[in-house]
Amino acid sequence: PKEEVATMPETLLSAEHVRKVYRSEGADVEALKGLDLEVPEGQFLAVMGPSGSGKTTPLNCLSGLDEIDEGRVVVDGLSIHELSDARRTRHRAESMGFIFQAFNLIPVFTATENVELPLLLAGTPERESRARAKETLTRVGLGHRLDRRPTELSGGEQQRVAIARALAARPHLIWADEPTGNLDSEMAASVMDLLCELHADGLTLILITHDPNVGARADRLI
């Protein structure tokens, strides 16, 4: 019989000596001081600290939403800060999904329309976008809420729509910035259950939180 060799998961995100300085007239603030980080495929990493400690800075810099002052960030094999703006935006849309504390849903759109919009903007055909939006909403437990607008949904349901929107393009990496911050404890627990289920299915997840209960559910805590 053939011998099975355990393979190590591939590194999905690698940061080398990343430095970020916020410059103001008063004083410069060095928010990232030579950050080194490797996130293997399939890991659930939580970045935890009190409000105002600068946790969102690594998300913005390592996802390419914000520029860096020094260093290098490689996501999915591409050094993202060396790409043109247009190419970086496209790479982000194809490789990453984002979930925020404020659900950022479009109020006049149904749940399905909110999820399919980024797909349509990325050039996915209309029929495929609609099918994928419905399939993803069903996967997050909202198959019975496809035609509801955000005002007709609870906070937890709105965050599930936001999670479906992040998942619909089948990204390799999901960034979640305080995804339970606007929810009561019961809804927060159900959203975390969902994220943990998705992680168990192989999703790579980097989550920003101030809540030790949320941080405790990750594989790895920074």
Side-chain angles (χ1 to χ4, degrees):
K2 226 170 137 181
E3 190 182 338
E4 297 259 334
V5 179
T7 53
M8 294 295 288
E10 286 187 28
T11 298
L12 185 59
L13 179 146
S14 170
E16 300 163 15
H17 313 307
V18 174
R19 186 164 174 266
K20 175 66 180 175
V21 181
Y22 290 109
R23 293 184 164 80
S24 65
E25 285 180 21
D28 291 352
V29 176
E30 192 178 17
L32 295 178
K33 304 180 181 186
L35 173 69
D36 291 309
L37 178 66
E38 287 209 353
V39 180
E41 208 169 315
Q43 188 168 75
F44 177 3
L45 167 68
V47 178
M48 194 168 84
S51 297
S53 60
K55 303 182 296 297
T56 301
T57 298
L59 181 155
N60 289 342
C61 292
L62 301 183
S63 67
L65 286 170
D66 209 347
E67 296 297 338
I68 60 176
D69 290 278
E70 284 174 29
R72 190 164 180 259
V73 181
V74 177
V75 181
D76 243 359
L78 285 178
S79 178
I80 60 174
H81 292 284
E82 293 172 40
L83 302 174
S84 69
D85 279 354
R87 182 73 187 88
R88 194 195 309 177
T89 300
R90 190 161 84 245
H91 176 259
R92 193 165 52 238
E94 290 167 355
S95 292
M96 306 181 215
F98 292 83
I99 304 161
F100 298 101
Q101 179 174 347
F103 317 125
N104 294 346
L105 301 176
I106 297 171
V108 296
F109 279 12
T110 64
T112 303
E113 289 165 343
N114 267 286
V115 174
E116 73 181 347
L117 180 63
L119 297 172
L120 292 168
L121 292 173
T124 308
E126 199 170 327
R127 185 179 291 182
E128 188 188 334
S129 296
R130 177 60 52 105
R132 214 192 282 183
K134 289 181 173 179
E135 173 197 318
T136 313
L137 283 163
T138 302
R139 186 179 176 197
V140 302
L142 289 179
H144 60 309
R145 292 279 197 267
L146 299 175
D147 298 322
R148 300 293 173 90
R149 290 186 167 77
T151 52
E152 301 172 291
L153 300 171
S154 70
E157 286 172 334
Q158 288 184 60
Q159 192 57 295
R160 282 169 181 263
V161 175
I163 292 168
R165 181 182 56 195
L167 288 172
R170 299 176 184 148
H172 299 156
L173 171 64
I174 292 274
W175 297 92
D177 192 2
E178 297 278 11
T180 59
N182 280 350
L183 304 175
D184 65 36
S185 55
E186 196 176 323
M187 284 183 184
S190 101
V191 164
M192 283 310 302
D193 288 345
L194 171 62
L195 290 173
C196 288
E197 273 171 42
L198 294 167
H199 166 245
D201 287 343
L203 184 71
T204 310
L205 181 62
I206 300 179
L207 182 144
I208 312 289
T209 185
H210 68 276
D211 184 340
N213 295 321
V214 172
R217 305 203 50 183
D219 299 334
R220 176 183 175 197
L221 189 60
I222 291 178

